[in-house]
């Protein structure tokens, strides 16, 4: 069966793992996982098969477009993949009110985690505030979880040099992928 159809089935049926038993050779030819390493995937193909993904997944660390294989796609999106979709905020002299929208770009809900955490970092990348999120366990593929977070501005640090960890590509991902 082709990699796109397998990926579609994994997503539709909310798979969280894939066994190394699915990687086999027959008559000297690679099948399944081994062959998927050579089959390229594109955003257009993922859209065609209605599969979840982040556009940034097709970018390297320098924001250049990069090619990906179906093997990488299944490895990275099997299970859950929580990421920040967008952030907005309002500030006054006392606090900053953040509205953070988390999205699950993976193929299944993060059923085995009870909580996640957003972290506010200063310019030195030291945590200055945290927000526990406890509603993630039932976040199905492509669902959005709005999180409201109020941070007190009276803490002694420079608010001009603050980073929200999620802006630095916060991704919570857990899969039962076995390295081949």
């Amino acid at each position: 069966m082709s990699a796109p159809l397998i990926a579609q089935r994994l997503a539709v049926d909310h798979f969280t793992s894939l066994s190394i038993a699915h990687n086999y050779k027959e008559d000297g030819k690679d099948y399944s996982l081994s062959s998927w390493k050579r089959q390229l995937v594109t955003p257009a193909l993922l859209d065609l098969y209605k599969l979840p993904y982040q556009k940034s997944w097709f970018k390297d660390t320098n924001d250049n477009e990069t090619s990906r294989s179906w093997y990488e796609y299944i490895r990275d999106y099997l299970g859950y993949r929580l990421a920040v979709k967008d952030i907005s905020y309002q500030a006054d002299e006392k606090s900053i009110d953040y509205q953070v929208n988390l999205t699950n770009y993976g193929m299944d809900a993060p059923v085995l985690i009870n909580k996640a955490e957003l972290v506010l970092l200063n310019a030195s990348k030291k945590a200055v505030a945290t927000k526990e999120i406890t509603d993630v366990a039932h976040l199905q593929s492509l669902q959005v979880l709005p999180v409201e977070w109020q941070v007190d501005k009276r803490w002694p640090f420079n608010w001009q040099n603050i980073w929200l960890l999620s802006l630095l590509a916060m991704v919570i991902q857990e899969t039962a992928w076995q390295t081949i």
Side-chain angles (χ1 to χ4, degrees), residues 3 6-8 10-11 15-19 32-34 36-39 41 46 51-54 57-59 66-82 105-108 171-180:
I6 290 292
Q8 191 175 39
L10 294 171
F15 274 63
T16 59
S17 64
L18 191 61
S19 171
S32 298
L33 299 179
S34 293
W36 300 344
K37 291 178 182 180
R38 295 182 306 279
Q39 297 176 35
V41 63
L46 294 174
L51 292 168
Y53 70 97
Q54 293 169 273
W57 187 70
F58 287 97
K59 302 278 185 174
T66 187
S67 60
R68 297 291 194 148
S69 70
W70 278 103
Y71 175 90
E72 292 172 302
Y73 174 75
I74 293 169
R75 177 197 67 201
D76 293 349
Y77 287 89
L78 193 64
Y80 64 88
R81 184 181 178 102
L82 302 182
Y105 291 97
M107 295 180 185
D108 192 26
V171 174
I172 305 166
Q173 180 182 18
E174 179 179 276
T175 63
W177 186 266
Q178 296 182 20
T179 305
I180 299 164

Side-chain angles (χ1 to χ4, degrees), residues 50 89 105 107 124:
K50 297 178 176 46
Y89 66 92
Y105 291 97
M107 295 180 185
S124 302

Side-chain angles (χ1 to χ4, degrees), residues 124-144:
S124 302
K125 298 196 172 133
K126 302 243 190 243
V128 294
T130 60
K131 168 73 174 178
E132 186 175 282
I133 307 161
T134 57
D135 300 339
V136 295
H138 302 292
L139 192 60
Q140 290 294 336
S141 184
L142 296 179
Q143 286 186 330
V144 176

Side-chain angles (χ1 to χ4, degrees), residues 144-163:
V144 176
L145 175 65
V147 177
E148 294 181 6
W149 184 14
Q150 186 176 70
V151 178
D152 190 343
K153 282 179 80 173
R154 292 176 288 178
W155 291 351
F157 54 86
N158 183 352
W159 284 96
Q160 301 301 317
N161 296 323
I162 207 75
W163 293 87

